[in-house]
């Protein structure tokens, strides 16, 4: 979360809803935001489509029947909260829920109900209604942040699944709201901004440079609308302006007939063609892939504009890393202190190897498969007497780790956001509060009644940073009681359970059907994060003071710690005080 100057806004005081929208979009689309603050993988329209595709795969024998009900349960929860779908659907919600949730209803009946919902929430209809509701919510004279947040999250998910890249939306929003020559005069500017997303796909021509090996496979390239040439003068634009001359022995790889709504999607689709061609090449030449440079020119044939594109951020790299000095220090401590017994150490390093393979790959499918195997590899085998499925065992094994760090990570990010916003003001308001670190002091500031005056001073100082103000007030409410924190964790666990099942289904589709769902990159980010949390927690427990000696002990330690933690949160009459907040923040585990 970052505050940006509003110098191009003519009436900031009267445009709070639009400014909140602009600040929220930037956080949603920033590559290194927490997963919690990124767009959802699904909305109601997409869930209907996923359910119908799952029914098809069940009929084909690629997915087991019990997987369907979890999607339908998620769909029902989504329907109950989704402002957009409630505007579109003219069927009684009670009858819909009864039909989708009834264990005695046949798959056929559930399919028919879902088909009706899919027709009424078709993605283009959903997008149009979402836009109209956003315009109405933002044009409202009163602050309307809660509704705007819900509508904005669903809108970004819709745009990404309508063919726009997150990078394009991110850059367009930054330019429009902060850096472009236009002025923002009022909340009504939302209409002009949303109009940017009404265009049809353009046809693009993408130009790479690569090895002369491509000349020898030119006939095969032509089947993919890929032409190989050394003559740059035959293109519609003067490529000499873009420092894109051939180097020694290189050839131009020209990919045509690429339809896309922005340059980033165009490049992604061209990359996919080259990757497919390179994959087929390795069937006959096992030692290497076809060599080409990732840098390219993306030419829009509609307006002849040219975009020089560089390597995009690998999905696996969208995480917070330690700086090299700190990474080296942590590695040295890990190697010297790590205390897992031999079998567990081999199991741990095997999972680390699979994590490394995913990091090294540019293939979405390889990343997904290697990450999932890494998770399966590190989780202890379920007991013979456990009458649960493998996916339920995986969810039950991961949940304690993910739940124990969830609040800590949210508070850590809020602490960082406050420091980045106004370090002096933030430190002034927590000065004198007992605590072993800034995060603990912040929680006490938000949770304890004795600091109400300080809280109010901090809230007043946020001024027009509406996103930070809204986030701070949200956590003040969450931390008003342990029961609220327990509810926060319950909701998180439900969402994580749905997402792990979605990851599992996506993995099965890739392996058994050769299909890659459109939202796979979001799933890769989530899978990577889940794996990192588990491995990081095990490393922490297996180094000083060395709480565990085996992976099995690590998973049991996390389970027992979580149960104890949650039991305290949900105890009747539990209240936060100075000592209990220290327990929340400094749990001494994972």
């Amino acid at each position: 979360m970052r505050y940006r100057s509003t110098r191009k806004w003519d009436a900031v005081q009267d445009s709070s809803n639009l400014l909140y929208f602009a600040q929220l979009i930037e956080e949603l689309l920033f590559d290194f935001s927490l997963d919690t603050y990124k767009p959802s993988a699904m909305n109601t329209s997409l869930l209907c489509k996923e359910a119908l595709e799952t029914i098809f795969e069940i009929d084909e024998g690629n997915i087991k029947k019990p997987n369907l009900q979890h999607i339908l349960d998620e769909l029902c929860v989504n329907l109950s909260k989704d402002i957009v779908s409630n505007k579109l659907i003219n069927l009684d919600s009670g009858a819909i829920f009864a039909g989708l949730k009834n264990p005695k209803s046949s798959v056929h009946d559930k399919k028919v109900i879902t088909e009706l919902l899919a027709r009424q929430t078709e993605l283009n209809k959903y997008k149009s209604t979402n836009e109209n509701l956003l315009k109405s919510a933002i044009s409202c004279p009163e602050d309307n942040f809660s509704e705007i947040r819900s509508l904005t999250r669903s809108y970004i998910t819709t745009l990404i699944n309508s063919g726009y890249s997150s990078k394009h939306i991110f850059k367009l929003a930054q330019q429009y709201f902060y850096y472009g020559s236009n002025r923002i005069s009022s909340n009504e500017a939302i209409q002009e901004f949303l109009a940017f997303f009404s265009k049809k796909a353009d046809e693009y021509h993408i130009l790479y440079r690569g090895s002369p090996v491509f000349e020898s496979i030119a006939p095969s390239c032509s089947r993919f609308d890929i032409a190989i040439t050394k003559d740059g003068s035959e293109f519609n634009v003067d490529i000499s302006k873009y420092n894109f001359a051939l180097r020694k022995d290189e050839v131009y790889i020209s990919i045509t007939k690429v339809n896309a709504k922005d340059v980033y999607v165009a490049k992604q689709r061209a990359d996919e063609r080259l990757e497919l061609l390179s994959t087929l090449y390795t069937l006959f030449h096992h030692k290497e892939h076809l060599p080409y440079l990732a840098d390219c020119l993306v030419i829009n044939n509609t307006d002849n504009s040219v975009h020089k594109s560089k390597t995009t951020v690998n999905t696996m790299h969208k995480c917070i890393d330690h700086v090299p000095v700190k990474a080296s220090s942590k590695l040295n401590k890990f190697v010297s202190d790590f205390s897992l017994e031999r079998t567990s150490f081999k199991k741990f390093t095997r999972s680390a190897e699979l994590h490394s393979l995913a990091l090294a790959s540019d293939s979405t499918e390889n990343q997904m498969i290697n990450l999932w195997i890494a998770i399966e590899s590190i989780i202890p085998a379920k007991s013979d007497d456990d009458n649960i499925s493998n996916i339920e065992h995986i969810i039950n094994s991961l949940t304690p780790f993910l739940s124990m760090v969830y609040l800590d990570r949210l508070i850590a990010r809020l602490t960082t956001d406050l420091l980045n916003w106004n370090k002096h003001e933030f430190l002034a308001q927590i000065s004198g509060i007992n605590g072993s670190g800034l995060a603990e002091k912040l929680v006490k500031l938000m949770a304890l009644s004795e600091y109400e005056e300080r809280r109010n001073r901090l809230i007043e100082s946020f001024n027009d940073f509406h996103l930070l103000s809204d986030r701070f007030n949200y956590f003040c409410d969450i931390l008003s009681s342990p029961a609220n924190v327990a509810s926060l964790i319950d909701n998180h666990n439900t969402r994580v359970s749905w997402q792990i099942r979605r990851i599992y289904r996506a993995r099965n589709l890739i392996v058994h059907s050769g299909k890659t769902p459109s939202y796979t990159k979001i799933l890769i980010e989530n899978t990577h994060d889940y794996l990192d949390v588990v491995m990081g927690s095990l490393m922490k427990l297996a180094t000083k003071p060395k709480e565990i000696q085996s992976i099995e002990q690590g998973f049991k330690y996390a389970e027992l710690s979580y149960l104890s933690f949650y039991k305290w949160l949900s105890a009747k009459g539990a209240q936060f005080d100075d000592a209990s907040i220290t327990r929340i923040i400094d749990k001494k585990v994972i």
Side-chain angles (χ1 to χ4, degrees):
M1 187 190 299
R2 181 176 175 181
Y3 178 78
R4 295 190 185 275
S5 169
T6 54
R7 59 180 177 271
K8 65 178 285 183
W9 293 64
D10 296 329
V12 176
Q13 296 279 341
D14 300 323
S15 306
S16 55
N17 282 333
L18 184 64
L19 184 54
Y20 177 76
F21 171 80
Q23 293 167 349
L24 180 59
I25 274 197
E26 181 164 10
E27 182 182 50
L28 283 166
L29 296 172
F30 180 54
D31 281 338
F32 303 102
S33 291
L34 288 179
D35 288 348
T36 301
Y37 301 139
K38 288 184 178 180
S40 303
M42 313 298 285
N43 60 24
T44 301
S45 177
L46 297 166
L47 279 167
C48 290
K49 182 180 177 183
E50 184 186 23
L52 293 173
E53 288 175 345
T54 301
I55 291 171
F56 174 80
E57 295 298 334
I58 289 169
D59 292 340
E60 292 291 304
N62 296 321
I63 292 179
K64 294 181 179 179
K65 184 177 175 180
N67 284 283
L68 175 62
Q69 193 55 50
H70 299 288
I71 303 173
L72 298 179
D73 290 343
E74 183 179 359
L75 175 58
C76 289
V77 171
N78 221 66
L79 277 170
S80 68
K81 299 177 180 178
D82 188 355
I83 306 170
V84 181
S85 63
N86 286 332
K87 194 78 172 177
L88 286 167
I89 295 170
N90 56 24
L91 299 169
D92 178 67
S93 59
I96 292 171
F97 297 157
L100 294 180
K101 291 182 176 181
N102 188 350
K104 295 182 180 179
S105 295
S106 67
V107 171
H108 176 74
D109 285 347
K110 293 178 179 180
K111 177 184 177 183
V112 173
I113 294 172
T114 308
E115 286 173 338
L116 289 171
L117 293 175
R119 284 182 64 84
Q120 294 187 17
T121 61
E122 185 271 327
L123 199 58
N124 285 331
K125 291 181 186 177
Y126 192 96
K127 175 177 175 290
S128 177
T129 303
N130 203 151
E131 287 172 340
N132 290 334
L133 290 170
L134 258 177
K135 291 173 188 177
S136 177
I138 289 174
S139 298
C140 180
E142 292 83 29
D143 288 350
N144 202 12
F145 295 164
S146 177
E147 186 173 341
I148 292 169
R149 181 172 60 251
S150 174
L151 289 167
T152 304
R153 289 183 65 87
S154 66
Y155 188 59
I156 297 301
T157 298
T158 301
L159 288 181
I160 291 172
N161 285 275
S162 297
Y164 292 95
S165 69
S166 57
K167 189 171 183 180
H168 172 74
I169 306 167
F170 180 80
K171 289 199 165 191
L172 189 61
Q174 281 200 330
Q175 189 69 11
Y176 183 81
F177 292 117
Y178 302 113
Y179 302 125
S181 58
N182 61 301
R183 303 293 300 176
I184 307 294
S185 57
S186 70
N187 282 329
E188 298 304 316
I190 185 61
Q191 301 194 45
E192 183 179 23
F193 178 73
L194 295 182
F196 291 131
F197 304 104
S198 60
K199 64 176 288 185
K200 295 181 179 178
D202 290 331
E203 184 177 289
Y204 289 87
H205 170 196
I206 293 85
L207 202 59
Y208 299 83
R209 293 174 296 190
S211 159
V213 172
F214 278 92
E215 288 184 297
S216 65
I217 60 168
S220 298
C221 291
S222 65
R223 297 291 299 272
F224 294 89
D225 291 315
I226 301 173
I228 310 301
T229 182
K230 287 188 175 182
D231 184 5
S233 63
E234 64 185 61
F235 305 120
N236 293 334
V237 297
D238 183 3
I239 61 176
S240 63
K241 295 180 181 178
Y242 303 98
N243 190 26
F244 208 69
L246 293 176
R247 300 164 194 165
K248 184 179 179 181
D249 296 330
E250 285 183 336
V251 296
Y252 286 120
I253 305 164
S254 173
I255 301 183
T256 57
K257 299 181 182 178
V258 179
N259 293 314
K261 291 184 177 179
D262 66 58
V263 294
Y264 305 105
V265 173
K267 181 183 186 303
Q268 176 188 325
R269 290 176 179 171
D271 286 345
E272 288 168 356
R273 280 199 217 171
L274 276 180
E275 287 168 8
L276 176 57
L277 184 64
S278 183
T279 298
L280 294 174
Y281 180 74
T282 60
L283 293 173
F284 306 98
H285 191 298
H286 291 68
K287 293 185 176 64
E288 62 180 30
H289 289 258
L290 288 170
Y292 62 91
L293 300 177
D295 291 4
C296 63
L297 296 183
V298 182
I299 304 164
N300 187 326
N301 291 338
T302 304
D303 58 14
N304 286 330
S305 60
V306 180
H307 174 83
K308 191 169 184 181
S309 179
K310 297 184 178 180
T311 305
T312 54
V313 177
N314 188 315
T315 307
M316 284 291 296
H317 297 165
K318 293 182 180 181
C319 57
I320 304 299
D321 260 337
H322 295 297
V323 296
V325 171
K326 191 170 183 179
S328 301
S329 172
K330 283 186 170 290
L331 174 64
N332 292 333
K333 177 175 172 57
F334 167 66
V335 172
S336 64
D337 292 349
F338 201 51
S339 63
L340 291 183
E341 47 86 16
R342 182 177 178 81
T343 302
S344 285
F345 184 76
K346 290 175 68 176
K347 190 178 179 74
F348 183 89
T349 54
R350 174 54 54 86
S351 190
E353 287 168 358
L354 290 161
H355 174 271
S356 181
L357 285 172
L359 278 170
S361 176
D362 291 324
S363 164
T364 297
E365 293 75 14
N366 285 344
Q367 289 171 354
M368 172 61 85
I369 291 169
N370 281 320
L371 285 173
W372 182 257
I373 299 172
I375 285 177
E376 286 191 310
S377 296
I378 204 164
I379 291 175
K382 61 190 181 79
S383 303
D384 293 336
D385 58 350
D386 279 351
N387 190 24
I388 62 171
S389 66
N390 188 49
I391 185 61
E392 288 175 308
H393 173 65
I394 290 171
I395 292 169
N396 293 341
S397 299
L398 294 180
T399 296
F401 289 97
L402 302 176
S403 297
M404 288 294 283
V405 302
Y406 182 56
L407 181 63
D408 291 348
R409 298 173 83 187
L410 295 177
I411 296 300
R413 179 53 58 91
L414 181 59
T415 305
T416 301
D417 290 338
L418 288 164
L419 287 170
N420 289 338
W421 159 72
N422 190 330
K423 183 177 180 179
H424 174 77
E425 181 66 30
F426 172 49
L427 293 181
Q429 297 308 327
I430 62 171
S431 176
I433 298 176
N434 288 329
S436 58
L438 296 180
E440 184 178 338
K441 293 180 180 182
L442 173 59
V443 171
K444 290 179 179 178
L445 173 70
M446 293 188 290
L448 301 181
S449 58
E450 63 199 83
Y451 300 119
E452 182 178 2
E453 189 176 330
R454 292 190 184 206
R455 281 199 300 275
N456 291 335
R457 283 201 298 267
L458 188 58
I459 290 168
E460 287 174 8
S461 66
F462 291 141
N463 295 320
D464 58 5
F465 200 173
H466 304 301
L467 180 61
L468 183 58
S469 178
D470 185 58
R471 184 72 43 76
F472 184 83
N473 280 306
Y474 170 76
F475 278 105
C476 287
D477 180 60
I478 289 294
L479 292 165
S480 63
S481 74
N484 285 353
V485 175
S487 179
L488 175 78
I489 292 174
D490 285 338
N491 291 333
H492 172 254
N493 291 348
T494 300
R495 294 194 303 272
V496 165
S497 172
W498 288 337
Q499 200 72 333
I500 293 172
R501 291 180 187 281
R502 181 165 289 114
I503 292 163
Y504 182 59
R505 291 193 299 272
R507 176 264 178 201
N508 287 344
L509 285 174
I510 291 169
V511 172
H512 300 300
S513 300
K515 298 177 182 177
T516 304
S518 61
Y519 44 83
T520 302
K521 288 189 176 181
I522 294 176
L523 301 185
I524 289 171
E525 289 185 47
N526 295 151
T527 315
H528 186 195
D529 185 56
Y530 301 160
L531 179 62
D532 280 358
V533 167
V534 171
M535 297 189 75
S537 299
L538 290 174
M539 285 189 286
K540 184 175 180 181
L541 290 170
T543 51
K544 289 181 180 178
K546 300 184 179 180
E547 304 282 1
I548 63 169
Q549 289 184 308
S550 71
I551 285 177
E552 288 79 5
Q553 290 176 9
F555 276 82
K556 183 56 70 174
Y557 191 104
E559 177 190 344
L560 296 175
S561 299
Y562 168 65
L563 290 174
S564 173
F565 174 57
Y566 186 81
K567 181 180 179 181
W568 180 83
L569 286 175
S570 53
K572 186 176 180 179
Q575 297 290 327
F576 282 130
D577 56 25
D578 198 84
S580 61
I581 287 175
T582 299
R583 173 178 179 173
I584 290 288
I585 296 300
D586 192 17
K587 294 185 290 295
K588 298 297 183 187
V589 292
I590 55 181

